[in-house]
Amino acid sequence: MQTRFDAIIIGGGPAGSSAAILLATAGWSVCVIEKQVFPRRKVCGECLAATNLPLLEALGIGADFLSQAGPELHRLALTRGARTVETDLPPAVGSPYLWGRALGREVLDTLLLQRARSAGAVVLQPWAVQKINRVGGFHDCTVREAVSDRLMVLQAPVAILAHGSWEPLPQERAIQRRARSGSDLLAFKANFQGASLAARLLSVLMFNGGYGGIVLADHGIVTLACCIRADRLEVLRQAEPGRSAGEVVEAMLKRECQGVADALQGAQRLGPWLASGPMAPGIRFQPDEKVFRIGNAAGEAHPIIGEGMSMALQSAWLLCAGLIRARQRHGSGAGTAWQRGVREQYVAEWRRHFAPRLRLAATFAQLAMRPTTSAALMALVRWRPTLLTRAATWSGKVHFAADTAMLAALASSASGGVGLSRAHLRQDFELLPGEVP
């Protein structure tokens, strides 16, 4: 089996698969290492801003996404208690697609990873990274096959970290093993069928100790997701002993957000609640590191602004555009000097495009989780609802961080995607690793 590549990508989610497609299409030999078996559900709001749709088209899954995603999202709502304020979402700028849509991660991730395979990437799944070391001009990556415990060492001059927030590399796990705090944010998600939610509405929820969102996705399925402080969840669980964390969260959302109670009246939950955390929003670039980071491995915003998948896809685009240009200039050698230049430019571009989103999301999240500030925020948007439209614009939903010339060139050569649907993939999954018990 091939063990030497131009690039090794650790993680096969939207960021990792997108990077694999982009590099493989440009002629690179690529290996993607993904520890989970697809399709799999994932804690995620599942909304994708319209600015990403040209990229999905260029990646070769645009038609599949459009044929299966939920309805276009034209309206934005902010809900607190019994009150809801609605306004227009801003259309995307400079894109043939004006409005975002939602699609289940079990479908989107599978489409992207299968497209990476068809583009020529080698996909090891389910395999897990045991360690990664820099040896000379190459990264030595030791991986283990989940079903057999077989070990293998892969080599590549370029290593890209694209793993999720709750799936760190072995050398990063010690950093995450910190004492739990009451302020930790735990994430929850469930899907419902038979809910009554406006088709074109993206609703943001504010409640004491947390925030969330609810949206109509593909095949008439409503996705409800939220983040809640660990200390608030503990109080809720003590009041309802014997119930799971997800059930307690669902009951709280119905009590404290009238819009959720109305939408879910008579609805049926599909499978168990998913839970994971604690979240760690922030920027994760390390000084003098020799690897590249994309997606949540690079940085994570509070999901209250719904830009997680946008940042994953667009960060992969930013990095791969730089890598492809650098290789055209310097060749495929294993030297590190050209990578240093690419890394410095990429990190600078990443910060320019995404750091403002992290700051806005952190501010909005803190306002939403506190009773006094969320009440003041609600009063403000009731007085001027267009402030919500402006906030959506500031969050990055109308502009795409991309080289449009390269996008057009890739789109012209992209082949069709793989047809899948959530209906074919739907089943009752167990809770994710790192779940809240």
Side-chain angles (χ1 to χ4, degrees):
M1 179 178 174
Q2 181 182 357
T3 59
R4 181 167 288 196
F5 300 87
D6 295 324
I8 294 171
I9 301 173
I10 301 170
S17 292
S18 297
I21 296 167
L22 293 166
L23 294 178
T25 303
W28 291 45
S29 60
V30 179
C31 181
V32 179
I33 304 161
E34 170 54 50
K35 67 185 296 185
Q36 301 292 336
V37 176
F38 285 10
R40 54 92 170 90
R41 294 173 66 201
K42 190 173 179 66
V43 179
C44 177
E46 301 188 338
C47 289
L48 197 60
T51 49
N52 299 284
L53 301 190
L55 177 54
L56 294 186
E57 183 178 346
L59 292 172
I61 69 160
D64 289 311
F65 179 89
L66 293 174
S67 68
Q68 299 186 64
E72 293 179 339
L73 300 172
H74 291 214
R75 300 279 290 173
L76 175 65
L78 185 65
T79 294
R80 180 183 183 272
R83 291 180 172 173
T84 295
V85 176
E86 281 192 36
T87 188
D88 291 328
L89 272 167
V93 175
S95 168
Y97 307 99
L98 300 181
W99 312 105
R101 301 173 71 176
L103 178 65
R105 286 290 299 275
E106 61 267 43
V107 179
L108 178 63
D109 290 8
T110 303
L111 285 171
L112 283 167
L113 193 58
Q114 289 192 2
R115 177 70 186 108
R117 284 191 179 95
S118 67
V122 173
V123 177
L124 298 182
Q125 184 187 35
W127 287 68
V129 174
Q130 300 301 291
K131 61 180 179 180
I132 182 168
N133 299 311
R134 183 78 181 186
V135 180
F138 286 86
H139 295 277
D140 281 2
C141 185
T142 303
V143 296
R144 178 180 59 83
E145 186 178 27
V147 296
S148 68
D149 285 335
R150 177 165 60 105
L151 295 176
M152 183 164 52
V153 178
L154 310 175
Q155 286 189 323
V158 173
I160 301 174
L161 305 187
H163 53 81
S165 304
W166 304 301
E167 296 174 342
L169 297 181
Q171 58 263 42
E172 295 176 332
R173 287 173 190 151
I175 300 174
Q176 292 197 357
R177 290 193 192 105
R178 57 186 174 86
R180 289 291 180 97
S181 167
S183 63
D184 285 343
L185 278 179
L186 307 175
F188 289 83
K189 168 193 163 180
N191 296 129
F192 296 84
Q193 198 164 45
S196 55
L197 186 70
R200 296 174 180 262
L201 182 67
L202 170 60
S203 186
V204 177
L205 315 172
M206 298 191 298
F207 55 88
N208 181 20
Y211 56 81
I214 185 168
V215 69
L216 179 62
D218 53 298
H219 295 84
I221 295 171
V222 164
T223 293
L224 174 61
C226 73
C227 294
I228 184 171
R229 283 175 55 113
D231 50 8
R232 176 81 204 282
L233 178 61
E234 181 61 24
V235 170
L236 292 170
R237 296 196 73 178
Q238 288 177 1
E240 299 186 68
R243 301 188 73 181
S244 71
E247 291 171 338
V248 169
V249 167
E250 180 180 336
M252 179 274 296
L253 289 173
K254 289 177 178 177
R255 286 194 309 270
E256 300 189 12
C257 296
Q258 186 62 45
V260 174
D262 293 342
L264 298 187
Q265 187 173 7
Q268 177 185 4
R269 190 174 74 238
L270 299 173
W273 274 88
L274 302 183
S276 205
M279 294 184 57
I283 298 174
R284 301 195 172 100
F285 296 113
Q286 303 296 321
D288 301 322
E289 63 182 352
K290 301 299 189 291
V291 296
F292 296 96
R293 293 176 177 267
I294 56 178
N296 280 355
E300 182 178 9
H302 279 272
I304 193 167
I305 63 172
E307 280 294 286
M309 284 199 289
S310 293
M311 290 173 60
L313 292 166
Q314 295 177 30
S315 63
W317 182 271
L318 284 175
L319 173 61
C320 292
L323 288 172
I324 291 167
R325 291 194 192 96
R327 177 161 162 167
Q328 290 171 344
R329 291 194 299 267
H330 301 287
S332 58
T336 59
W338 68 270
Q339 291 192 42
R340 188 181 307 115
V342 172
R343 189 177 299 105
E344 290 174 354
Q345 181 177 359
Y346 163 68
V347 171
E349 290 182 344
W350 190 100
R351 289 180 181 275
R352 179 168 63 88
H353 287 291
F354 303 128
R357 302 187 198 185
L358 268 69
R359 290 192 293 268
L360 176 66
T363 301
F364 192 10
Q366 294 305 317
L367 292 174
M369 289 190 288
R370 298 169 179 167
T372 54
T373 54
S374 64
L377 179 60
M378 195 69 187
L380 182 63
V381 299
R382 288 182 68 201
W383 170 66
R384 184 162 292 181
T386 54
L387 287 174
L388 286 177
T389 305
R390 292 186 184 180
T393 302
W394 296 333
S395 72
K397 293 187 181 300
V398 300
H399 296 287
F400 177 44
D403 180 327
T404 54
M406 187 176 174
L407 180 66
L410 182 62
S412 66
S413 63
S415 60
V418 181
L420 294 173
S421 72
R422 191 198 293 239
H424 292 114
L425 302 177
R426 173 68 58 194
Q427 55 181 295
D428 289 347
F429 292 86
E430 298 300 322
L431 292 179
L432 297 178
E435 66 187 18
V436 178

